[in-house]
Amino acid sequence: MRRWASNNHAQQDFDDYVQAFATIAAAAAAENLQVISPTVRKGTGEGQEAWWLAQFLGACNEDTTYSCDEDAIALFDLHNYNCKASKWGTDSNSFLVQMKDDLKTELAALAAAGRTDRSASEWATWVDARSIWVTETSCNWESNPPDNVGSCERNAEKHDAAWGTGSVIALDNSPMVSRWAWWTTFRV
């Protein structure tokens, strides 16, 4: 297997992730279950989530030891914590679009470097074919996080207009999201 190591990420880590994912995917296939990606967020560059996932996908793509198959990933897992409806839309400022665009950027860099057998265009199609499960979201990491009542108000159009209809309605209406889960209310 090609070296996927970097200054901050050991080769053994990627080998371990590829082996673990191949094992998980085989177990899921045996039970007719969908496989969700490792958690991803927006952000490019070494150490960022999209960079890490692209490195993992590249390592999986070239694996000949464990039968790792990146095509087993049916959905992306996304965590993000903001209740503004605009952050969950389909424009270029939304977390959803930024995450996919950042992943495409990182995968295109791998393709350009000859580190995967897919082209940038093939990776872009692969990314776009997958919907997103938002497995953690809340208002808790906003710059001024609300209490429990404030979280509900931000999602019930009873707060500043900047939140719009709130993230819950935006997630329900998004064609990019197939499922979502509210992480937690604020703990005092």
Side-chain angles (χ1 to χ4, degrees), residues 97-162:
V97 173
Q98 288 175 359
M99 181 276 293
K100 283 193 168 192
D101 285 351
D102 289 351
L103 184 56
K104 288 182 223 177
T105 297
E106 293 294 346
L107 289 166
L110 287 183
R115 295 177 64 190
T116 175
D117 65 6
R118 293 185 194 224
S119 68
S121 174
E122 290 169 322
W123 277 118
T125 299
W126 186 89
V127 169
D128 287 337
R130 280 144 183 83
S131 66
I132 300 170
W133 283 7
V134 179
T135 57
E136 284 187 19
T137 190
S138 68
C139 307
N140 297 0
W141 290 4
E142 292 182 7
S143 59
N144 184 16
D147 60 11
N148 291 340
V149 171
S151 289
C152 292
E153 288 173 344
R154 289 180 185 187
N155 276 295
E157 298 182 81
K158 295 185 179 194
H159 194 69
D160 185 302

Side-chain angles (χ1 to χ4, degrees), residues 6-28:
S6 67
N7 293 337
N8 299 317
H9 298 84
Q11 175 65 34
Q12 188 61 46
D13 289 346
F14 285 110
D15 291 346
D16 289 348
Y17 290 130
V18 165
Q19 181 181 9
F21 179 77
T23 302
I24 291 166

Side-chain angles (χ1 to χ4, degrees), residues 52-61 70 73 103 107 123 126:
W52 185 93
L53 185 56
Q55 298 296 307
F56 165 76
L57 292 169
C60 185
N61 176 263
E70 68 275 13
I73 295 173
L103 184 56
L107 289 166
W123 277 118
W126 186 89

Side-chain angles (χ1 to χ4, degrees), residues 41-59:
R41 294 186 186 122
K42 62 183 183 146
T44 58
E46 187 171 327
Q48 296 295 316
E49 288 86 350
W51 175 88
W52 185 93
L53 185 56
Q55 298 296 307
F56 165 76
L57 292 169

